[in-house]
Amino acid sequence: MDNIYQAAERDRLGFWADQARDLHWHKPFSQVLDFSDAPFAKWFADGQLNASYNCLDRHVLAGLGERTALLFEGEPGDTASFSYSELLAETKRAANALLALGVQAGDRVAIYAPLIPETIIAMLAVVRIGAVHSVVFGGFSAEALRNRIQDAGAKIVITADGGFRKGKVHELKTAVDTALADNSCPTVEKTIVIRRTNSPVTISTMDLWWHELIAAAEPEHEAIGFDSEHPLFILYTSGTTGKPKGILHSTGGYLTGASFTHRTVFDLRPEKDVYWCTADVGWVTGHSYVVYGPLANAATQVIYEGTPDTPSFGRWWEIIAKYKVSIFYTAPTAIRTFMKVGRDVVSGHDLSSLRILGSVGEPINPEAWHWYHDVIGNKNCEIVDTWWQTETGSIMISAIPGAFKTKPGAAQRALPGITVGIVDEAGNPIQPDTAGYLTIDEPWPSMLRGVWGDPERFKETYWSKFPGKYFAGDGARFDSDGDIWILGRIDDVIKVSGHRLSTAEIESALVEHHWVAEAAVVGAKDEITEQAIVAFVVLRQDEIADAPIEADMAQTLKDWVVQKIGAIARPRQIMVVAELPKTRSGKIMRRLLRDVADGRAIGDVTTLADSSVMSSIKEKMENESHD
Ligand code: PRX
């Protein structure tokens, strides 16, 4: 295994070129990296390829058409399986259907659908014709969906009548109707509706049924090559400001990164492994490690529509036993939830097929690591703790199975071909065991190509703090062996159950309510979800004459945030306060609010304009928690 580290060290660009050549190129590339317009990078720029062809056609042409690509498990217990040939046939029809609707290369298609095979087929069909998908997680509200459709200027929206979640129908088409109401998204020409739950939906002249389109579509479609830098998808993620950013990825570099890391980090043996990543396709993990990585590598994988606890906490373990899953990839928050339920949750399920366990999305605490290792892995599996981001497109830091001894809680090493650093405020490398800022020091193939529609924001957000280096927004430290420990975000991005949210985004949702004059949101520590949202609000005295009592008001404001962003952003607590703690220059001191939310002693208040503000907030918090 040392060999790939050494090979990458000897000739980094040659190493990446070799990985890229593992894909099928309609036109081979001769250039590897062009960083002359830094920080905008071009990888394999004179080559052409088709992402859908790489995920499907080439495997079928290589004689792997009969291999199972998807083993679908619906939440109610229905199942379906697709071989690579079947997935290709469906994707070709879907591509033809989109073409018939006038979708052209470069057009954007929004996808707001459950984790079912049709959603993956839709993604592959969109990119097959060179269009760009923007998948929006089904847990986002109609308003959040509307903002994303508008920002991307989507021409088509693909959705479903609903999906199954927690034993109920989660309505999706109705949310799309609300998002598009009053011609608020004028770029949208048609909505395509996948039938999943058979729940009643309104079908207007703008709406088309997926199954009818597919049935009527031509079966043959030849995939043509697109430039390596042709945009592949946009995925919105939260940053430090109120407005989510459309992270843009392009074809050749992204597919190189996703496929290389998938086969390397999970030690994939595609002819015998059964792989399962529990992420939804609405998140980057679902893009890189449910769709593009596994399919480009001709893997056989399980996809599951529902939640881990439906109908019981045994569901995931039952699925692993049923399909003999050998590689399993999930988030620490799920592990902690199961830990709380207790080890009985796995009893009666044969998990002996497992060989590799992955973790992603937030730091995995050593207790959760040990539970994962001992109870799920029966002390027999390697754990790979994988650090990366929507922006990085693929895993940047992780152990590679068998390469070195893993340490509970450490993300460990940069992957071959990736150069990371940890620096102090001035940008100087720090000593081991000192906390610093995590940077990526050289461009990598699957790096984001920009923020959709806002090139300045790309430079400013990622490349201005430490000139010439990509600043990830995370704190980290090296230990004395040179292993990396991720310490979490150092900005106003918070992680709730592995979902990335911005405190500023929740604050702006709150102040849009007429009762609220000011809001400050912090991520408080939470045993299960890592962080939980706690909001402090100051009310507008002129607007609250008819408002309900405080407890009901807090409930209304929680629902309001759900309506504005989605259920994933529901605050755990909303506290009405007379004033927010501010410095003399008017900056809100969230650090102090975090102390209160975590029940700690309050830190230094000397820079506050009025230091009594904090004592009254603390007193109120204590009274509320005693109620
Ligand atoms: O803070 C880091 C955390 O998740 C952030 C990226 O979030 P997102 O773009 O939603 O992508 C999540 C899935 C890749 C990072 O800035 N993070 C991700 N993986 C880890 C992690 N923190 C610690 N350890 C990890 N393995």
Side-chain angles (χ1 to χ4, degrees):
M1 192 55 75
D2 258 0
N3 294 343
I4 66 169
Y5 287 96
Q6 285 161 357
E9 203 146 300
R10 257 195 321 274
D11 176 9
R12 200 177 82 90
L13 296 183
F15 168 81
W16 281 122
D18 285 347
Q19 304 313 321
R21 283 193 201 99
D22 212 69
L23 299 170
H24 172 88
W25 292 82
H26 276 69
K27 177 174 170 252
F29 58 88
S30 63
Q31 304 160 7
V32 181
L33 169 66
D34 175 359
F35 205 39
S36 55
D37 184 25
F40 297 94
K42 292 194 178 104
W43 284 87
F44 321 118
D46 60 343
Q48 290 189 332
L49 77 171
N50 184 299
S52 176
Y53 184 97
N54 270 286
C55 290
L56 302 170
D57 307 55
R58 73 167 166 146
H59 306 320
V60 174
L61 291 170
L64 302 176
E66 295 311 305
R67 181 179 292 172
T68 304
L70 299 180
L71 292 159
F72 167 68
E73 179 88 15
E75 197 189 77
D78 57 321
T79 57
S81 117
F82 284 78
S83 66
Y84 273 92
S85 299
E86 289 164 338
L87 204 56
L88 174 60
E90 291 288 299
T91 303
K92 284 181 172 177
R93 284 182 179 273
N96 284 328
L98 291 172
L99 285 172
L101 292 175
V103 179
Q104 293 174 2
D107 284 345
R108 274 82 59 213
V109 176
I111 301 180
Y112 183 68
L115 180 47
I116 54 176
E118 288 84 346
T119 306
I120 295 177
I121 292 164
M123 291 167 76
L124 294 169
V126 167
V127 301
R128 188 174 183 88
I129 59 170
V132 180
H133 57 67
S134 165
V135 182
V136 180
F137 175 57
F140 280 115
S141 69
E143 278 190 46
L145 172 65
R146 178 190 300 145
N147 295 336
R148 285 158 175 75
I149 293 174
Q150 286 171 340
D151 191 82
K155 189 168 185 173
I156 302 278
V157 179
I158 301 178
T159 188
D161 50 359
F164 292 105
R165 278 193 87 71
K166 291 195 179 285
K168 293 202 214 83
V169 170
H170 173 60
E171 290 183 6
L172 293 163
K173 171 66 165 64
T174 12
V176 173
D177 292 343
T178 310
L180 302 184
D182 305 322
N183 198 27
S184 52
C185 302
T187 55
V188 176
E189 293 174 8
K190 291 282 178 213
T191 298
I192 304 176
V193 190
I194 302 164
R195 183 173 273 161
R196 168 69 185 137
T197 54
N198 268 318
S199 35
V201 288
T202 320
I203 296 291
S204 75
T205 50
M206 242 182 94
D207 301 324
L208 300 161
W209 283 107
W210 168 272
H211 59 269
E212 290 178 4
L213 285 179
I214 298 290
E218 290 294 328
E220 268 321 311
H221 178 271
E222 193 186 333
I224 59 164
F226 294 96
D227 288 346
S228 178
E229 283 300 325
H230 187 76
L232 189 70
F233 66 81
I234 303 168
L235 185 58
Y236 286 84
T237 191
S238 299
T240 50
T241 66
K243 193 170 171 278
K245 307 183 275 249
I247 301 300
L248 177 66
H249 282 286
S250 66
T251 312
Y254 171 80
L255 208 58
T256 301
S259 57
F260 162 70
T261 53
H262 177 256
R263 62 178 174 263
T264 309
V265 170
F266 299 109
D267 181 34
L268 182 76
R269 298 168 196 173
E271 59 299 334
K272 50 182 184 201
D273 275 316
V274 177
Y275 165 87
W276 182 21
C277 164
T278 63
D280 189 273
V281 282
W283 305 109
V284 75
T285 310
H287 282 60
S288 305
Y289 299 107
V290 176
V291 182
Y292 294 105
L295 296 177
N297 288 332
T300 295
Q301 69 174 324
V302 170
I303 57 169
Y304 169 55
E305 176 188 29
T307 53
D309 54 350
T310 310
S312 78
F313 278 105
R315 188 67 190 267
W316 277 10
W317 320 116
E318 201 179 283
I319 293 175
I320 291 180
K322 174 174 172 186
Y323 294 106
K324 300 200 170 21
V325 170
S326 52
I327 306 173
F328 182 62
Y329 191 28
T330 195
T333 191
I335 306 297
R336 289 192 295 266
T337 308
F338 290 115
M339 269 172 82
K340 200 170 166 200
V341 181
R343 56 169 68 216
D344 283 355
V345 72
V346 298
S347 58
H349 302 295
D350 177 7
L351 306 184
S352 60
S353 54
L354 288 171
R355 164 171 100 74
I356 309 273
L357 301 174
S359 172
V360 62
E362 43 180 322
I364 180 163
N365 46 314
E367 298 74 29
W369 193 99
H370 283 295
W371 200 87
Y372 201 20
H373 184 257
D374 297 355
V375 180
I376 305 304
N378 195 24
K379 303 186 180 168
N380 266 329
C381 300
E382 291 249 24
I383 295 190
V384 284
D385 176 11
T386 63
W387 178 89
W388 60 296
Q389 311 177 298
T390 306
E391 292 87 340
T392 68
S394 61
I395 300 170
M396 299 282 104
I397 302 175
S398 169
I400 293 181
F404 38 82
K405 192 163 166 27
T406 50
K407 288 181 192 167
Q412 301 202 287
R413 303 277 164 95
L415 289 183
I418 302 297
T419 328
V420 303
I422 304 178
V423 297
D424 64 14
E425 189 67 41
N428 301 313
I430 46 114
Q431 296 300 312
D433 290 324
T434 319
Y437 301 97
L438 181 65
T439 59
I440 307 180
D441 298 351
E442 288 178 291
W444 65 102
S446 66
M447 63 196 271
L448 75 163
R449 296 303 194 265
V451 174
W452 183 253
D454 199 346
E456 276 312 308
R457 197 168 169 199
F458 169 65
K459 290 194 206 166
E460 165 62 31
T461 311
Y462 304 104
W463 303 90
S464 64
K465 189 167 172 71
F466 303 113
K469 293 178 177 181
Y470 170 89
F471 173 48
D474 280 279
R477 66 179 172 85
F478 285 116
D479 65 17
S480 47
D481 300 329
D483 284 321
I484 299 167
W485 296 72
I486 306 289
L487 303 171
R489 301 289 304 197
I490 54 96
D491 52 12
D492 294 328
V493 168
I494 55 175
K495 281 286 185 143
V496 181
S497 297
H499 298 149
R500 176 167 160 180
L501 294 161
S502 128
T503 54
E505 194 180 344
I506 303 166
E507 287 165 5
S508 44
L510 281 165
V511 294
E512 276 180 53
H513 194 285
H514 69 108
W515 293 340
V516 180
E518 275 185 294
V521 166
V522 298
K525 283 206 171 61
D526 187 280
E527 209 186 308
I528 303 288
T529 60
E530 165 93 6
Q531 287 185 302
I533 301 162
V534 176
F536 297 84
V537 297
V538 177
L539 300 176
R540 288 176 56 169
Q541 295 309 320
D542 53 338
E543 290 283 346
I544 55 166
D546 300 327
I549 58 160
E550 229 173 87
D552 293 343
M553 207 186 259
Q555 192 53 45
T556 304
L557 292 176
K558 285 182 189 175
D559 294 343
W560 174 260
V561 174
V562 172
Q563 183 195 324
K564 290 271 150 194
I565 304 175
I568 51 169
R570 180 187 286 279
R572 181 178 76 187
Q573 186 179 8
I574 292 194
M575 225 180 119
V576 174
V577 296
E579 257 181 278
L580 294 173
K582 288 186 186 162
T583 60
R584 284 178 198 92
S585 59
K587 199 168 172 296
I588 298 174
M589 293 199 67
R590 289 190 179 71
R591 171 174 65 77
L592 300 175
L593 294 173
R594 265 194 300 272
D595 290 341
V596 177
D598 287 342
R600 273 191 302 268
I602 294 177
D604 184 6
V605 293
T606 48
T607 50
L608 284 185
D610 173 0
S611 59
S612 69
V613 171
M614 277 321 293
S615 20
S616 54
I617 293 180
K618 187 165 169 54
E619 196 177 313
K620 181 152 193 212
M621 180 67 116
E622 281 166 0
N623 289 340
E624 284 196 5
S625 30
H626 292 149
D627 285 349

